[in-house]
Amino acid sequence: MTIHDYLTTFAGLPVVASAEKEAPADPAAVAWRIEVEDFEADPAEFEAAFGQLLERTGPAGPTALIIGQWGSAYDTAFPTDLLVRNAARLGRLRALFIGEMSSEECEISWIQQGDITGVLEAFPALERLWVRGAEGLALTPLRHQGLRELVLQSGGLPATVIRAIGACDLPNLTRLELWLGVDQYGGDARADDLAPILAGRSLPALTHLGLRNAEIADEVAAAVAAAPVVARLAELDLSLGVLGDAGAESLLAGQPLTHLKSLDLSHHFMSPELAQRLVDELPGVAVDVSDRQREEEWGRYTAVSE
Amino acid sequence: MRLAVVGNPENRRVALFAAAAARAGLPAPQVHPWRDVLLSGRVPGPGTVVRIDSPGENAEVDTLLRALGTGRPAAVAEPGEILGGAAAFAGLRAALGRVAAGGGELLNQPADVLTMTAKPHCHAVLAAAGIPVPAALGPVHGYESLRAAMDRAGWGRVFVKPAYGSSASGVLALAVSGRRAAAVTSVELSGGRIFNNLRVRRYDDEASITAIVDRLAPDGLHVERWYPKAALGNRVLDLRVVVIAGEPRHVVVRTSRSPMTNLHLGNARGDVAAVRAAAGDRAWAAAMGTCVRVAECFPRALHVGVDLMFRAGWRDHAVAEVNAFGDLLPGVLADGLDTYGAQVAALVTGRTVVPCGI
């Protein structure tokens, strides 16, 4: 499976493509989407689209911004510098999604990203940061007080990035979603790399943790089953991965999860018996065990990899 | 009116057309099996109105077409084997000539059927008519020449199609970047031969991709730039629009989790109303207008099956293919008539655009 849909809302705002001619009544009340149509468009074309967006959104710029294809995303990292240079023209920016491309436009595992530290530094008021694609993705640990939501979607998230997140100080982060992916596409993290996150010390406000799309889902489940951060969570999401009976047994044998509002395990390889036991033993928790997968000739696949 | 059908009698297409004729109170069409046309040369004669239907899905007919095309005995293809597309096309050209020579009034003229079936030619005709189509590369002769042509064009993502293929047979959705290459396709390599497999798979080793492309290339390739398709419910989609006597009223949405939307590949029909709503009335009307213009490029074909793609984001559309035998849309009704019923109605009311004889 792959990602084909575009978001229709982002940060609670309806998405409007910057290429649409009709202007919304209030340019601050929508999430703007910019992209170049040509897969291999020249960087100047993306800069022009960005410039047009700034014209349409006034001196404070957009509230929420989704960036799709910026041109040859499969071999050229997103130019974060463009945002950083224009930070003064983006004073209102609170939500940013870099790389919302469908697999028709670029395979998730091919999307090139760069170092996103500069973006976080340049936008201290940024509340939501989503990034799709993790090839070349880098982060230097920092403190960021504004960030509420960090979502890194990938077919393979490097351990270096996961360790950097664990070393960040994000006092107001409530939602963290990491798509760990598969080793073949750079998802080389092991449970140890998640330890600082699971300890939760630098994420005091966290209530939603997603460790999704993981080839190491059973290992993640075992780590989560004993993780201090879990006691604070309302929502735990281990979906889209290859969670099997081993992981389910870890969850059943581990710390109580009855305080959760939801536990998302959809897209899994658990036996019906164990999936049912999880549901039965967590009354009051919305447990999602839908989309059971069958093992294929070459083994188990995460939902989103290529 | 004396109706005749040239087709494979075991195929439901033939039965569906006969049923539509019966519902309209017409006498049963006389069926001329492709096998007989090819073996004995017996074709419908003067005074008959002739529907030419697909010669596909019949191994013997395929073998006979390839033999006719090359003038030599042809090997029987194994089930699913992709073999001799160019020869089969040459055979179809010759066979359609025989049918035309019989003097019947053809509902679909051979020239139009052939143009629709030859993808490079069809693409050129549509482009010349100003119909939106993805940009295409010139002829390529194998993987190396394909990569070179992609480099020259500056393209990293293309659809590679056999020049004379149909229904996703042999199509590859290919993405390359430097030394990486990935292809999504229904083609399966086995012992140096290539087969269509109903399971779409992904190859990310260049050796396999090279082998497949090089195996397809001798029969001709048509390469278009990948047009990123719109999606709904996390499935990409396109439309099959059957234009009958100029009217684009039979539509199916074909949805898929892979870049190939063809329904026989385990894909699902989508909700036409939902797609129409997502596209918006203006974009939908523009798309239907394009389908009508496509049909106008083939004025001597009673029906034309247009595969229409909306671009991701819905702001644009383009024609992926045109199908000469694309009217098998069981259960899709417009004003109570399926595609066959609509064609019979057009015949009865004289709304065909078919001049008698050529």
Side-chain angles (χ1 to χ4, degrees), chain A residues 4-5 38 40 107 306, chain B residues 156-157 202 225 234 257:
Chain A
H4 294 301
D5 275 340
D38 189 333
E40 283 95 9
E107 286 70 18
E306 287 104 13
Chain B
R157 300 172 72 81
R202 178 187 169 93
R225 199 167 193 194
N234 207 30
R257 292 209 159 98

Side-chain angles (χ1 to χ4, degrees), chain A residues 6-74:
Chain A
Y6 291 160
L7 294 177
T8 53
T9 64
F10 181 53
L13 303 173
V15 178
V16 172
S18 180
E20 291 291 342
K21 289 183 187 65
E22 282 168 40
D26 177 1
V30 300
W32 290 91
R33 178 186 167 83
I34 62 166
E35 66 193 325
V36 291
E37 245 182 31
D38 189 333
F39 292 138
E40 283 95 9
D42 193 76
E45 206 173 305
F46 181 74
E47 291 205 24
F50 182 71
Q52 278 165 10
L53 174 76
L54 292 184
E55 277 172 34
R56 294 190 71 170
T57 50
T63 312
L65 175 60
I66 297 175
I67 292 159
Q69 175 66 261
W70 52 81
S72 302
Y74 52 79

